[in-house]
Amino acid sequence: MHSFREITDSLYETPASHAGRSESFRRADLIGREQGSVHIGFRIGELAPGGRIDTCVHSYEKGIFIMEGEVELNREGRCFRLGRFDYALVPIGVAYAIRNTSGASARWVEKCAPRPKEPGEWADSFFTAGSEWSEALSVDPLNPACRMTGHFDWDQLHPHQRIDKYMWGWTKKMLMDRKFGSEQFDMFIIEFAEGGQTNEHDHPFEEAYLCLEGEGTFTAEGEEYILKPGTIGWSGVGSPHGVFMNRGAACRWLEIMTPQPPAQHSNRRLSTWDDIRDRLAE
């Protein structure tokens, strides 16, 4: 099972759960039960200047990655200023609030796991009394107070790698994993160079791909899509998929894996197993 869609403005709306508990907030719910996902809740939040989200608590883990603009995150009384390509983790059961004190709108990815409940189901989130806002810290990896926050720049990517005859021209930068503090998902940036590829494979976990720059061809279960900015893809457990840089450009995207991959055998490449089968049949 898989999903691929364009992200249009018509997908943004204020969630009913946030009525009276937010101001100038909209959200696009992109991956969830409707798309077939069991594990992933993938959203993009938007907050206009002067907007806010009141203090809330979730029974799921949330990763935040700022795509544009700037917000302040109040995580149990410790406040952070998050700008473009900053990211932060909100662990399960941790109270947090968000506000936009800048003069421009902000948008950010929200990765939620376990997948949030649907409206009308058991309430897995609730609003609570807020913490006081203090002077916001800028993200600083050398400041212990900034634990479970980070910043990404393109120059953090390592040189492209060649894994084997089926996968080459790629590199990645891990953002959130178990070492970072996440228990439910991995989040990272992938770049494939022009001409690179990873042919069809599947996983024992779900993946989501939000394109940031460039173009590539995304294949899933015999269907073909164009991965470009403003599109998002998702593949379920056991869903064969591949990426091919055959459109004259490199491609960069934000990727999510949920649950976190096993220590071994997280990638089952169909061609490799075809080779093994043919060799054993000789």
Side-chain angles (χ1 to χ4, degrees):
M1 185 175 291
H2 72 278
S3 173
F4 191 91
R5 65 194 307 190
E6 292 189 9
I7 305 169
T8 63
D9 192 68
S10 63
L11 296 175
Y12 287 87
E13 60 182 7
T14 301
S17 59
H18 287 62
R21 292 291 194 166
S22 65
E23 183 176 345
S24 302
F25 171 62
R26 300 194 305 163
R27 192 179 73 199
D29 294 352
L30 301 173
I31 304 295
R33 186 171 67 181
E34 182 179 348
Q35 287 69 44
S37 175
V38 174
H39 298 289
I40 290 179
F42 195 106
R43 305 159 166 174
I44 295 179
E46 178 188 78
L47 204 56
R52 73 176 204 285
I53 301 172
D54 292 346
T55 303
C56 56
V57 175
H58 303 306
S59 61
Y60 50 80
E61 192 172 68
K62 176 176 284 188
I64 295 172
F65 179 85
I66 307 298
M67 297 172 61
E68 58 187 71
E70 179 181 289
V71 299
E72 292 183 11
L73 169 69
N74 184 333
R75 197 172 59 191
E76 292 194 328
R78 180 160 284 172
C79 303
F80 306 93
R81 182 176 296 104
L82 304 178
R84 185 172 186 265
F85 286 7
D86 285 342
Y87 51 94
L89 181 70
V90 179
I92 293 173
V94 169
Y96 77 99
I98 297 177
R99 68 181 184 181
N100 184 352
T101 61
S102 75
S105 292
R107 282 188 174 180
W108 65 90
V109 166
E110 293 186 354
K111 167 62 187 79
C112 308
R115 190 197 72 200
K117 298 294 186 181
E118 300 293 321
E121 296 182 336
W122 174 76
D124 56 5
S125 303
F126 55 89
F127 290 89
T128 185
S131 301
E132 292 293 325
W133 286 90
S134 59
E135 183 176 355
L137 299 172
S138 296
V139 172
D140 180 357
L142 300 180
N143 184 349
C146 292
R147 182 174 173 268
M148 292 188 292
T149 68
H151 175 76
F152 172 74
D153 283 318
W154 294 118
D155 60 9
Q156 294 173 6
L157 291 171
H158 295 134
H160 297 133
Q161 305 176 53
R162 182 183 183 95
I163 302 301
D164 54 29
K165 63 180 179 179
Y166 301 119
M167 183 177 184
W168 65 83
W170 79 290
T171 183
K172 79 174 184 179
K173 166 63 177 178
M174 183 62 69
L175 305 182
M176 300 188 202
D177 59 3
R178 195 172 296 275
K179 291 180 181 178
F180 184 81
S182 171
E183 300 287 344
Q184 302 290 326
F185 63 86
D186 285 356
M187 177 187 290
F188 49 92
I189 299 289
I190 284 275
E191 178 185 83
F192 268 87
E194 180 181 355
Q197 73 164 51
T198 177
N199 72 349
E200 288 206 323
H201 58 285
D202 65 12
H203 306 286
F205 47 81
E206 298 181 20
E207 289 186 323
Y209 329 89
L210 177 68
C211 187
L212 301 174
E213 292 185 6
E215 286 191 12
T217 300
F218 175 78
T219 64
E221 298 175 303
E223 299 186 51
E224 189 172 292
Y225 308 92
I226 303 303
L227 191 63
K228 60 184 179 180
T231 60
I232 183 170
W234 167 79
S235 59
V237 173
S239 173
H241 58 281
V243 179
F244 303 87
M245 297 299 103
N246 55 8
R247 301 188 60 80
C251 193
R252 295 165 164 173
W253 63 85
L254 179 74
E255 184 163 329
I256 307 293
M257 294 177 172
T258 310
Q260 290 176 332
Q264 298 186 69
H265 307 300
S266 64
N267 185 326
R268 182 170 60 178
R269 192 164 301 281
L270 277 59
S271 297
T272 299
W273 282 97
D274 287 342
D275 290 346
I276 293 171
R277 180 196 59 212
D278 293 343
R279 180 170 297 181
L280 293 176
E282 292 177 355

